[in-house]
Amino acid sequence: MSEAENPGTRATDDDAWAKACAEDLEAERSRRRTDYGRPPGSAAEELRKLVDAVADRLSTVRSPLLGAVAGPAAQQVVRQVVQQAKAAVEPVLERNPDVFDHLAAAGEELLAAYRSAVQGQESRWTARADDLGGGPKDDGGRRDRGDDGGPGERIDLD
């Protein structure tokens, strides 16, 4: 029987294939969670966790500078500021979660570019020092260089 005669057969095969792929993917994710732990969330989720952690920490801090009298009032002010900050950050995270992922990726790319530039400059510096005679000088064999071939000179104190 051809697909034209029975169009439901092909759709069922596609559904079975999609279901099998989804099951395999979920099994792999479960295995990775078991092996490596929970993966980090998106940048927006991580920022939300950071804001919550900072807010919790700030709300529990007691200021010795304000004394016992201003303590409760100061804590209330800190709580209000923390709530205002969370209220300002939350809508931005909700509206633009992909922006933070892009910013995180851009930061990683900038770090890789910086690392590459520094490594390149360091290799040029070391190559230039060797080319300009920055290495050990030729003194006709009068100096004892010690056992290693480094630039230092061994001094005999006897």
Side-chain angles (χ1 to χ4, degrees), residues 101-122:
D101 291 333
H102 291 297
L103 288 173
E108 289 174 9
E109 290 175 11
L110 283 172
L111 180 60
Y114 174 76
R115 190 175 292 138
S116 174
V118 168
Q119 287 173 346
Q121 186 62 37
E122 286 175 346

Side-chain angles (χ1 to χ4, degrees), residues 20 24-25 32 75 94-95:
D24 289 346
L25 182 61
R32 286 181 181 249
Q75 277 189 326
E94 292 297 323
R95 285 191 305 257

Side-chain angles (χ1 to χ4, degrees), residues 47-147:
L47 181 60
R48 186 176 289 122
K49 288 178 187 177
L50 176 65
V51 168
D52 289 341
V54 170
D56 290 343
R57 181 66 181 144
L58 286 177
S59 65
T60 60
V61 170
R62 295 189 186 266
S63 176
L65 300 175
L66 299 176
V69 176
Q75 277 189 326
Q76 184 62 29
V77 169
V78 168
R79 284 189 190 113
Q80 286 176 348
V81 169
V82 166
Q83 289 300 332
Q84 288 174 350
K86 285 175 78 173
V89 169
E90 194 63 36
V92 174
L93 293 175
E94 292 297 323
R95 285 191 305 257
N96 307 309
D98 293 340
V99 169
F100 295 99
D101 291 333
H102 291 297
L103 288 173
E108 289 174 9
E109 290 175 11
L110 283 172
L111 180 60
Y114 174 76
R115 190 175 292 138
S116 174
V118 168
Q119 287 173 346
Q121 186 62 37
E122 286 175 346
S123 66
R124 285 190 292 275
W125 285 338
T126 57
R128 189 176 308 141
D130 290 342
D131 291 344
L132 296 176
K137 295 180 181 175
D138 185 16
D139 59 357
R142 291 187 304 264
R143 292 186 178 182
D144 183 6
R145 297 266 176 225
D147 293 336

Side-chain angles (χ1 to χ4, degrees), residues 28-41:
E28 180 64 18
R29 286 180 181 159
S30 176
R31 184 190 65 79
R32 286 181 181 249
R33 274 192 300 270
T34 302
D35 291 349
Y36 304 111
R38 186 170 179 247

